[in-house]
Structures are given as structure tokens and as C-alpha cells.
Amino acid sequence: MKRKLALAMVLAMTASMAQPVLAADSKTTLDVIISQYGTQTQAWWSQFEKDFEAENPDVDLNIEIVSWNDLYTKVNTLVANNNAPDILNIDVLADYVADDLLMPATEYASEDLQSKFFPAFWDASTIDDTVYALPILASCRALFYNKDILDEAGASVPTTWAEVQETAQKIKDKFGDDVYPWGIDMTTDEGQAAFSYYTWNNGGGFVDENGDWALNSEKNVEALNFAVGLVNDGYTNSDPANETRYDLQDMFGAGKVAMMIGPNNIPTYLSDGGYDINYDVTTIPANEGCESVAMGVCDRLEVFKDDSAEDQDARTAAITKFFDFFYDDERYADYMVYEGFLPTTQTAADLLAKDDDTFASWIDILQSCNFYPATKTEWADVKQGVIEVEQNALLGDDVQTLLDDLQADIAG
């Protein structure tokens, strides 16, 4: 009897050893940092993590949601300490590529996934003929305005800068300090967007027709003087250097701001916040004689190299699984609706357009937008630089001098 029992135990042990039981240390761990786009970002990604690990028991996901206000400091600290995440959701790219920190996207994006992206978005992360990131989402910026406020003030929807001033004055005359006619964000969160809104719509911008930095161009100086003039004339929110676009969106939803330039997910933001106002959307006003230019934003998912990984093939395979799972048409489309953004894959766009024609309209606009020159190595410094220019201009410093100094710093 004892021999039979011992034999049974041996057989049981042998059988258990043959089972594909994954020990905790046999899993591939991926550290992922996702930027916070809204109040529900954490909830969506928490569910994603559970669903992914249930389908991929050989991968352990550690997903952390980080506010945009804290993102750059956190990531820079991690990189400096040789502890970069495996996958990062951010908008900057060139500096990481210059420091040889990123894996080329073709090493982890399956051929099926590559074929899904709109070509413009796949190419948007190309440096020296190599794609270094995947586009996570996109947004367009347009002018949102409170129809009731403008109607009550007897004001028209502005299409030019002169009309912006005229409409703002009418709103100010009618409502006094109760309503800010125009919302403007020159914070560290969106100051570079403000630079885009005004310079692009004055025929200027970050670079010239040859792609060289042209930060102190005459058109840029004129544009920033106009924007700061709106503040000085009392047409805007009181503290543009500290009031972020989220503050403006709350003020817009509460009827405190009459007009603001913002992203296409504002309707979702207003709905989630319980706001109920009568508003509409139109093109961004341009200076007389200039065409209106919309701004497109395309954030990225980037993969850092990890030379210390014990099994590089397993790590790459896990990363490929992550992206295939995230960009699954239904799941990815759900995330776009959830956050109120635009998809960067044709397949998800087609899926969403079946239920909502506005997605198709926004995609058409998006493909004609101007984008930040984020693949240029100096972009991170330019982004911070134009924000500092704006904030110093708000304090009374001369715009021409500020932009001359920035141009000299960047162009060397």
C-alpha cells in the first residue's frame, strides 16, 4: 500500500510539473505610463489592464496614469535614473530618438496593425526614415462659442481678429465682469497651443517654408502682440498664465467664458461635467487676409529600449500583444468615444462613422490640420520656450525681444 501511495505521489508530481503553470517570476512585466486625458482615464485603463492580463496570463501590466502637468518631470526623472517605462504615452519624440532611447516601431508593431493607421499618422513619427512611435489618438482644435451669450450681446460669430475684438467688446459691454468674452490658455499645459492658434492664423508659425525655425518672424511678433492685447484689454479670463484649458472648459460650461478655442472632445467634457449650455463650433478666426488654420494634435505611444531585459524576445512579444490588444477595432473605437478623441486608424474611424457622422467630418478636418514640428530635435525646448515668451509678455516684456532671444537660443 505504501509503494502504491508513493508511486501515485510521484505520478501526481510529474503531472503537475508538466502543466503550463506560470510562476510569477516567469511572466514578462511591462511598465506603462498613460497620460491623463480626462476624469475617467484611470477607470478605462484599469479595466483594460484586467482584460489584457486575463487574455495574456504570461504578461504582467503595470499601468500608471499621470497628469500632463506632472508627466514631463516624472518621465525625465525616470530616464535620468535608467528606469524608463517600457511603454510611454506622450507628445514629445525627437529628444528620445536623438539619445537612442526608443525602439523603431516596426520592431513591435505587427504588419496587420501597421496597415490600419492613416498614412499621415503612421508617418508623423518618422525621423531619418524610421518610425519611432505609434499614434495613440488625435484631436482637432476649433472655436467653441456660447450662442445665447452672443445673441444677447447682439454680437456676431467672429471670423477675423478684428471681429474677435468687436464681438468681445459687445459682450463686455453687455455682461461686464460676469462673462469673459474670450478664453486664453498660456499655461505650461497648453501655452504652445496658444502660440499655434495665433501665429498660424497670421501666416506665421514655428518654422518657415524650408522647415527652419522662424520663431521671431514678423508675423509671429504681430500674432503674440494681438493675443496679449486681448488680455490687456480685459477681453479674456483673468489669469491666462495659470488657468488651464480645463479651467476654461469649466468656465465655458458654466457660462462664464463666451468663446474659447479647444479640442473636439469638449462636448464629452461638458456632458461628463453635467453642463447644459447652448453652444456651437466654428473655424478659428484668422487675421485679415489670412486663411483659417485648424490645429491638429497627435499624441504617441513610444517604446523604450531595455538592454537589461533578460529575454528580449519575450519583452518584444509582450509589447506586440499590448498594441494588438489596444488597437483592436472595437476596443480602440470604444476608447476614442470614452475620451472624446479621434482615431488614428482607418478601421476604427470607419466603425465610428457608421454610428456618428460627426466623426467622419472631424477626420476630414484633421487631415488638413497643421501639426507641431515634434520630430525636430529642438521641439521640447521650443515648446517650453514659447510658453515662457508668452508668460513674460503677459508681465509686460517686449514680444520682439523675447522671440529674438528664443530664436537665438534655438537656432544657435
Side-chain angles (χ1 to χ4, degrees), residues 115-119 329 332 343-351 363 367:
S115 68
K116 290 183 177 184
F117 292 112
F118 288 107
D329 294 340
Y332 181 55
T344 61
T345 67
Q346 180 70 65
T347 47
D350 291 343
L351 193 63
I363 287 292
Q367 296 189 80

Side-chain angles (χ1 to χ4, degrees), residues 44 48 55 325-326 328-336:
W44 195 91
F48 175 92
E55 190 167 311
F325 194 81
F326 173 67
D328 169 79
D329 294 340
E330 293 281 355
R331 184 173 295 105
Y332 181 55
D334 174 71
Y335 186 54
M336 295 302 100

Side-chain angles (χ1 to χ4, degrees), residues 37 68 91 121 135-142 144 190 192-193 197 200 245-246 249 261-267 284 294-300 332 336 339-344 359 361-363 365-372:
Y37 290 99
W68 280 100
D91 58 344
F121 290 121
I136 184 173
L137 49 78
S139 68
C140 281
R141 306 297 172 91
F144 289 75
E190 281 278 285
Q192 76 285 350
Y197 300 152
W200 281 342
R245 66 178 168 125
Y246 300 106
Q249 288 168 190
I261 302 171
N264 58 280
N265 67 329
I266 282 183
I284 298 174
M295 190 189 83
V297 174
C298 176
D299 293 337
R300 297 168 169 84
Y332 181 55
M336 295 302 100
E339 294 282 28
F341 284 100
L342 302 174
T344 61
F359 274 97
S361 300
W362 278 109
I363 287 292
I365 296 173
L366 187 62
Q367 296 189 80
S368 63
C369 286
N370 278 4
F371 291 85
Y372 296 135

Side-chain angles (χ1 to χ4, degrees), residues 225-246:
N225 276 323
F226 169 76
V228 173
L230 294 176
V231 180
N232 292 338
D233 290 339
Y235 292 147
T236 72
N237 45 301
S238 58
D239 193 6
N242 292 297
E243 290 165 337
T244 70
R245 66 178 168 125
Y246 300 106

